[in-house]
Amino acid sequence: MSTSTLPPTSSSGLIQIESIEEQIRKRVAEERARLEREAGITHRQVHHFHKPIERPFTKDQRHKTTLLFGGLTWKHEKLVHGALEGLGYKTEVVPTPDVKAFQLGKEYGNNGQCNPTYFTVGNLVQYLQKMEESGVRREDLINNYIFLTAGACGPCRFGMYEAEYRLALRNAGYDGFRVMLFQQSGGIDQSEAEAGLDMNLDFFLNLLNGLNMGDVLNEVAHQIRPFEANAGETDSVLDEMIDYMHEVLKKKSPWSVEDKLGAIAGKMPMKGTVNYLGKFLEQLYAEDYVKALNHCRDRFNSIKVDRFRVKPIVKITGEFWAQTTEGDGNFNMFSFLNREGAQLIVEPIGTWIMYMIHQVVQKIRDTKGLEEGTVAPPKWRLDKQAKIEVNYRQKLMKLKAAEVIFAREYHKIVDALGGTAHRLVDQYELQRVGHPYYNSRAGGGEGHLEVAKNIYYSHHELCHMVLSLKPFGCMPSTQSDGAQSAVVAHYKDMIFLPIETSGEGEINAHSRVQMALGEAKVKAKAEYKDVLGKIGKSVDELKAYVAEHPETTNALYRVPKYKGVIGLAANFAVHVAEKIGAKVPYHLEVH
Ligand code: SF4
């Protein structure tokens, strides 16, 4: 470097460091530009992606705006529909996606997405197209309808759903159609985001009530259907009960201090807190829902069942959407399995909600509640250390309270519906069994849950077979598959079948399931035969007792679970033998 290009020196004679840095940067940039010119590389202007600015949904639009939503089962959707109507929203459900929706998703969306993206995105486009065909003007669809969906910030493709919806809508000619998110990781009060949709405590309580009721009613129907004495009766009672609960949810107005105290409420100090507490206590202790659910229990219980049918129990796991949807998105797997003679344990949405709370608890524990980049105070600053500790414990306490309250509310519904549905599996137990195979801190999709549920249900003898429904192109499910090889190698008796779901290949998938189900059937029959041999009573003797005790053929009659016995027919045989007075070599399962 020649002295003429040396940077200026300070009065103390020291070279100014910044100036040297600047000069180096400049020289490097010049040299890079020269080399790029020589190599013929030209630079295009970079346009970063910005989330499009969407027209807001304001409160004064509420009366003429319809919220569209979907993506669950028709039972959940109908109940959530009632719950949202109860809050004064105009709401419509986008029906279960079919293959046509999948094809539209491929046509209008990006390539290389996972299966649920194509199905759900295409389904919205299909719904709007059908509305237009039925006479609704396109501009009315754009102005007076909003699609409400869950969202996240990754790490799997779930984080891209919102952008995918917008892209497909634009490509299909619905540019400007509004998509609203309630974030997977969002807090409870998102009301400031869109005043038209008030995501307040009433909103979340109603939503959770609708989802939880949908979970438990759905499970009860799954328990009864394979054993019903009159084919089709369970579905007809289920239809009736979902309609009934829809009306109950719709008619229930949210608790408010104004309704209770009238004009005095206006002068009340801390009115907001009182209102909040009142709503909360109403949720915990009011009996309205319990009474309505008891009515459903009695209707279900009037169905007569034959528990001597030997059925393999199939536990459904997999990716959230693929294991929930009841249509082409998972090859109509549930109705197929029912036709093939299986009893199903489907996964409640409640497990997913508990999983999300659990993951936040883990994160807070790992980080001690500190945000990324926070610089820890020195050890001698006891005041600051104490503040961090208090904050951390407060955060943890709130989340632990949320876990307890959510489980309590879920189990209240289980009990009100006769107590036969499963209780939510403890997330800490799932973490304990799943973590050795799949790091429980690895987020995205179902995380460690796919592996953990497989182990939990097989190891606790709750099913004969686990069927995992995983969409093609699903990153977390693909990782799970790798880990499942180790699981299957360790748990030798397990019958585990992963099925990749897509818009095509239904026949192939069904035939693979049939093969695994064949094994599960053999297992269930062998178990039943073994039980009959050990209890020392013939089927005729057992049936004679049942004929004399008609209450044992009621759909919600509680059959205990015995250790080492999986199937309902086998457990029922042990139970009836005990009632007759036989000494059975089985012990009750205690959980
Ligand atoms: S979990 Fe899998 S299928 Fe579901 S959104 Fe993520 S990548 Fe797609």
Side-chain angles (χ1 to χ4, degrees):
M1 188 184 282
S2 73
T3 48
S4 63
T5 58
L6 274 176
T9 54
S10 67
S11 52
S12 61
L14 291 172
I15 294 170
Q16 291 174 357
I17 302 297
E18 288 89 343
S19 297
I20 291 180
E21 291 285 322
E22 241 169 63
Q23 291 237 353
I24 293 172
R25 252 197 303 275
K26 213 169 128 207
R27 293 270 177 95
V28 169
E30 282 168 8
E31 187 57 13
R32 180 180 290 126
R34 186 184 68 77
L35 289 170
E36 282 175 354
R37 263 196 314 279
E38 279 176 21
I41 298 170
T42 50
H43 274 290
R44 268 182 271 143
Q45 225 184 332
V46 178
H47 295 285
H48 289 289
F49 173 78
H50 293 285
K51 186 179 165 180
I53 298 165
E54 212 162 52
R55 284 171 303 125
F57 171 35
T58 52
K59 203 167 181 175
D60 58 321
Q61 296 168 3
R62 199 181 279 177
H63 68 283
K64 58 171 184 164
T65 306
T66 303
L67 299 176
L68 302 177
F69 71 97
L72 304 169
T73 74
W74 68 267
K75 292 140 270 186
H76 293 90
E77 286 157 358
K78 189 148 196 183
L79 295 175
V80 170
H81 181 269
L84 292 180
E85 282 199 330
L87 293 174
Y89 293 105
K90 283 175 76 177
T91 317
E92 275 174 30
V93 173
V94 181
T96 308
D98 55 14
V99 171
K100 178 83 198 321
F102 165 80
Q103 285 158 348
L104 284 173
K106 285 203 131 181
E107 184 179 342
Y108 292 116
N110 265 319
N111 286 333
Q113 296 302 307
C114 56
N115 193 34
T117 322
Y118 290 134
F119 269 101
T120 51
V121 168
N123 201 33
L124 177 60
V125 171
Q126 177 171 245
Y127 186 77
L128 297 181
Q129 287 179 340
K130 281 189 179 160
M131 296 264 285
E132 220 179 330
E133 279 160 26
S134 73
V136 184
R137 291 184 317 156
R138 185 172 288 205
E139 61 187 274
D140 289 339
L141 283 173
I142 292 172
N143 290 328
N144 301 335
Y145 288 81
I146 287 177
F147 186 65
L148 183 62
T149 184
C153 60
C156 77
R157 289 190 179 92
F158 196 31
M160 292 303 295
Y161 270 34
E162 184 192 4
E164 279 301 313
Y165 276 116
R166 291 183 207 282
L167 177 76
L169 286 165
R170 196 170 63 232
N171 290 345
Y174 300 101
D175 201 7
F177 185 92
R178 285 168 290 177
V179 175
M180 276 181 57
L181 287 190
F182 43 91
Q183 289 274 340
Q184 182 185 351
S185 53
I188 205 151
D189 193 346
Q190 304 188 5
S191 54
E192 78 285 354
E194 310 276 359
L197 181 66
D198 210 356
M199 294 200 201
N200 53 18
L201 186 62
D202 289 330
F203 178 83
F204 281 97
L205 290 179
N206 275 26
L207 193 67
L208 290 179
N209 284 331
L211 292 175
N212 286 348
M213 287 176 198
D215 274 348
V216 185
L217 285 162
N218 193 27
E219 184 179 346
V220 170
H222 271 296
Q223 286 179 332
I224 302 171
R225 195 178 290 112
F227 304 96
E228 62 191 4
N230 302 312
E233 194 179 356
T234 311
D235 283 335
S236 116
V237 172
L238 180 64
D239 270 1
E240 189 193 317
M241 291 306 100
I242 295 286
D243 282 348
Y244 171 75
M245 288 311 299
H246 173 271
E247 288 308 297
V248 170
L249 285 159
K250 185 175 161 182
K251 286 184 187 141
K252 174 125 174 43
S253 44
W255 192 95
S256 91
V257 67
E258 281 92 353
D259 285 351
K260 296 287 165 197
L261 301 179
I264 310 167
K267 296 174 194 141
M268 183 178 258
M270 294 169 62
K271 189 179 122 195
T273 312
V274 174
N275 217 13
Y276 198 85
L277 268 175
K279 287 175 192 299
F280 206 58
L281 293 174
E282 155 102 352
Q283 170 69 34
L284 292 182
Y285 299 110
E287 287 287 301
D288 317 24
Y289 287 150
V290 175
K291 279 187 192 145
L293 291 165
N294 286 165
H295 167 70
C296 299
R297 174 198 63 197
D298 297 342
R299 281 293 288 121
F300 276 118
N301 203 29
S302 67
I303 301 171
K304 288 291 171 193
V305 294
D306 173 7
R307 291 192 174 86
F308 287 109
R309 293 177 191 163
V310 181
K311 304 266 176 188
I313 300 178
V314 178
K315 168 65 192 160
I316 305 292
T317 65
E319 186 267 350
F320 176 79
W321 184 79
Q323 71 185 353
T324 306
T325 189
E326 295 178 332
D328 293 345
N330 61 12
F331 305 130
N332 296 284
M333 196 55 84
F334 305 149
S335 50
F336 172 74
L337 282 164
N338 278 149
R339 283 198 307 278
E340 289 293 312
Q343 180 191 346
L344 306 187
I345 304 179
V346 290
E347 193 57 57
I349 290 166
T351 308
W352 173 248
I353 296 171
M354 286 296 272
Y355 168 69
M356 285 193 286
I357 305 175
H358 175 79
Q359 289 302 88
V360 182
V361 170
Q362 295 317 302
K363 190 171 172 212
I364 287 179
R365 280 204 172 129
D366 291 348
T367 59
K368 273 273 189 182
L370 295 171
E371 297 299 328
E372 205 175 313
T374 309
V375 180
K379 285 217 162 41
W380 56 269
R381 285 301 305 262
L382 294 180
D383 55 336
K384 291 196 173 176
Q385 298 276 2
K387 199 171 163 197
I388 289 172
E389 187 65 25
V390 170
N391 271 342
Y392 162 63
R393 291 196 179 274
Q394 273 176 352
K395 278 185 192 170
L396 211 55
M397 237 166 60
K398 280 185 198 160
L399 284 160
K400 299 296 281 176
E403 278 183 330
V404 171
I405 291 166
F406 183 81
R408 177 192 187 274
E409 289 306 288
Y410 188 94
H411 296 145
K412 190 163 88 184
I413 297 172
V414 171
D415 293 338
L417 281 169
T420 58
H422 290 90
R423 303 182 97 71
L424 290 170
V425 180
D426 181 20
Q427 288 291 329
Y428 296 87
E429 173 69 359
L430 288 175
Q431 182 188 341
R432 192 184 65 75
V433 297
H435 187 78
Y437 300 91
Y438 194 110
N439 194 314
S440 58
R441 304 308 198 264
E446 290 264 316
H448 64 275
L449 284 191
E450 283 188 43
V451 167
K453 284 185 219 164
N454 187 15
I455 299 171
Y456 182 89
Y457 281 87
S458 303
H459 188 59
H460 286 282
E461 294 159 333
L462 296 168
C463 66
H464 296 98
M465 162 184 164
V466 175
L467 175 65
S468 173
L469 298 168
K470 44 226 303 118
F472 82 76
C474 173
M475 180 263 289
S477 265
T478 309
Q479 282 178 199
S480 275
D481 261 1
Q484 298 279 19
S485 339
V487 173
V488 174
H490 286 174
Y491 295 87
K492 300 274 186 223
D493 290 341
M494 183 181 268
I495 303 178
F496 169 71
L497 178 69
I499 284 286
E500 194 176 70
T501 60
S502 69
E504 295 106 8
E506 180 164 326
I507 293 172
N508 178 32
H510 282 179
S511 94
R512 287 187 61 211
V513 172
Q514 250 167 348
M515 280 196 282
L517 192 62
E519 266 185 73
K521 280 181 182 172
V522 170
K523 194 171 168 182
K525 280 183 188 154
E527 174 193 63
Y528 186 59
K529 200 171 156 206
D530 185 48
V531 161
L532 287 179
K534 285 182 179 157
I535 58 177
K537 295 283 169 196
S538 70
V539 176
D540 288 343
E541 284 175 282
L542 301 177
K543 284 191 173 170
Y545 175 87
V546 170
E548 278 168 27
H549 298 81
E551 74 280 4
T552 58
T553 62
N554 290 347
L556 298 184
Y557 177 79
R558 299 281 286 272
V559 180
K561 162 97 177 74
Y562 294 89
K563 230 173 160 15
V565 186
I566 301 173
L568 181 62
N571 275 297
F572 189 55
V574 180
H575 173 61
V576 174
E578 256 193 332
K579 289 273 175 197
I580 295 173
K583 262 202 131 354
V584 298
Y586 294 99
H587 299 290
L588 283 179
E589 186 100 50
V590 190
H591 278 298

